[in-house]
Amino acid sequence: MDFNRKLILEDGKEYYGYAFGSTADRVCEIVFNTSMVGYQEILSDPSYTYQAVVMTYPLIGNYGMADDDYETALPTIGAMIVREYNDIPSNFRSTATLGQVMEKYGIPGIYGIDTRCLTRSIRDFGSRKVLITDASVKKEDGLRILAETPVPTDAVSKVSCKEIHVSPAENERFHVVAIDCGMKENIVRSLNRRGCKVTVVPWNTPADTIEALRPDGVFISNGPGDPEDVPETIASVKALMGKYPMFGICLGHQIIALASGAKTYKLKFGHRGGNHPVRNLDTGKIEITSQNHSYAVEKDSLSETPLTVSHINLLDNTVEGLKCREKKVFSVQYHPESAPGPQDSAYLFDSFVRMMEENKNA
């Protein structure tokens, strides 16, 4: 069987494979994910908007797609690149194959690639643009397309909700306003389980609109892209900080840092996967975490802010958590709500609830 699809990277390197999902051509930022399971959650995570994800685990698709496991209703991932694709899943919960879902949402896939070689290339030379196209396309034509096609910077506005909506809790104790920058559904579920009614607002909602909702706490979600691309969110968070207990995850963590006067920078190839060790500096405990981000908080820039570092990545010493008790704010770079796991960091939602309880009783 002849190859029918290929990748062309900015350095001219080509990787040939076979199509699954959509056969649309696409220019994306190429990244890799080291998770062994959870390809459905990765496919439907809004943080992967405009990114082509290389899965390092070799077999993808073998348990199909289950209706209850999506992180968003409309997946916006750029593309998926795998070594071996299984189109005959074995799982009683499966209602569709991965390829069928990708075709439905116009997401191109390519399999048969040497993903180990490709991952080493990303690790050594960094994330960069890639073209997914037909195998017959000439390299020089592909390089011209790559040079002429920028990766968009409107990712957050693309995936954020357009209107305010409410997710009620059965035993409501607190009201959380969540700023949606591309929020995963399991974040809302994690808060609902702890008695929090969640009012979800768009990414650019002004601070006075959020205050009018009379929240007990404010949450800033994960999301795609460069945190500096959302100055409206940064301004709202800056205005709200210190008025309400505040918790941020991933992009929300970076936004809290920027709103406090710190700086962020782009990592060479980012952190993506469910196996990153992080040390909690308060307890000394090492948590195995799920991560998905390209940017990090610049540690030296925190000296002029009220924030202190609470968690550190043990692989590269990057900032993984921030806190300020006086401002009633804390954040983490990783995903404590991660599904299908790990679950080491779910206690952070309990910490947020305790902070709201203390603030109510103060």
Side-chain angles (χ1 to χ4, degrees), residues 32 267 269-273 276 291-294 313 316 318 320:
F32 65 84
L267 296 164
F269 50 81
H271 297 160
R272 294 173 184 86
H276 289 255
Q291 308 216 3
N292 174 16
H293 61 103
S294 294
N313 189 300
D316 60 8
T318 51
E320 290 284 355

Side-chain angles (χ1 to χ4, degrees), residues 19-20 22 38 66 82 84 109 112 169 194 205-206 223-224 229 249 256 319 360:
F20 74 102
S22 169
V82 307
E84 182 181 350
R194 291 165 172 83
T205 302
D229 289 340
I249 288 176
I256 286 172
V319 176
K360 263 190 168 183

Side-chain angles (χ1 to χ4, degrees), residues 28-240:
C28 304
E29 179 189 26
I30 192 166
V31 299
F32 65 84
N33 186 296
T34 57
S35 298
M36 294 178 65
V37 292
Y39 59 77
Q40 177 170 349
E41 290 83 355
I42 292 165
L43 183 87
S44 57
D45 183 346
S47 295
Y48 286 114
T49 303
Y50 302 137
Q51 292 182 329
V53 181
V54 180
M55 299 298 296
T56 62
Y57 189 74
L59 176 62
I60 301 296
N62 53 307
Y63 54 84
M65 304 288 278
D67 291 341
D68 295 333
D69 293 346
Y70 288 92
E71 290 291 354
T72 186
L74 298 172
T76 53
I77 191 173
M80 189 165 278
I81 302 162
V82 307
R83 175 59 181 169
E84 182 181 350
Y85 169 62
N86 186 316
D87 203 42
I88 310 175
S90 176
N91 178 6
F92 73 95
R93 297 177 65 239
S94 175
T95 57
T97 68
L98 173 60
Q100 287 170 338
V101 172
M102 290 172 64
E103 186 172 13
K104 177 180 178 181
Y105 293 108
I107 302 166
I110 182 169
Y111 73 94
I113 294 286
D114 184 346
T115 50
R116 288 187 176 185
C117 178
L118 182 54
T119 299
R120 284 196 298 270
S121 173
I122 299 168
R123 182 194 64 193
D124 294 344
F125 301 108
S127 301
R128 51 212 192 274
K129 285 193 293 185
V130 63
L131 171 66
I132 302 168
T133 188
D134 191 84
S136 64
V137 172
K138 294 180 180 178
K139 182 195 293 187
E140 54 267 30
D141 292 335
L143 291 174
R144 176 181 51 78
I145 292 169
L146 281 169
E148 294 175 353
T149 309
V151 175
T153 58
D154 64 343
V156 168
S157 62
K158 177 182 174 71
V159 299
S160 177
C161 64
K162 303 302 182 277
E163 297 179 348
I164 295 175
H165 62 276
V166 177
S167 178
E170 283 190 17
N171 300 305
E172 184 182 323
R173 299 169 55 210
F174 302 102
H175 177 208
V176 173
V177 171
I179 302 176
D180 178 11
C181 297
M183 186 162 54
K184 295 166 68 178
E185 287 294 332
N186 204 42
I187 289 174
V188 177
R189 290 192 289 263
S190 296
L191 290 167
N192 285 162
R193 282 196 297 269
R194 291 165 172 83
C196 299
K197 179 181 81 171
V198 181
T199 299
V200 182
V201 302
W203 66 283
N204 57 352
T205 302
D208 56 356
T209 301
I210 292 173
E211 290 194 74
L213 294 169
R214 301 184 65 183
D216 296 310
V218 175
F219 174 82
I220 308 98
S221 85
N222 65 293
D226 185 340
E228 293 187 5
D229 289 340
V230 288
E232 297 92 334
T233 316
I234 296 168
S236 292
V237 169
K238 186 175 182 179
L240 294 167

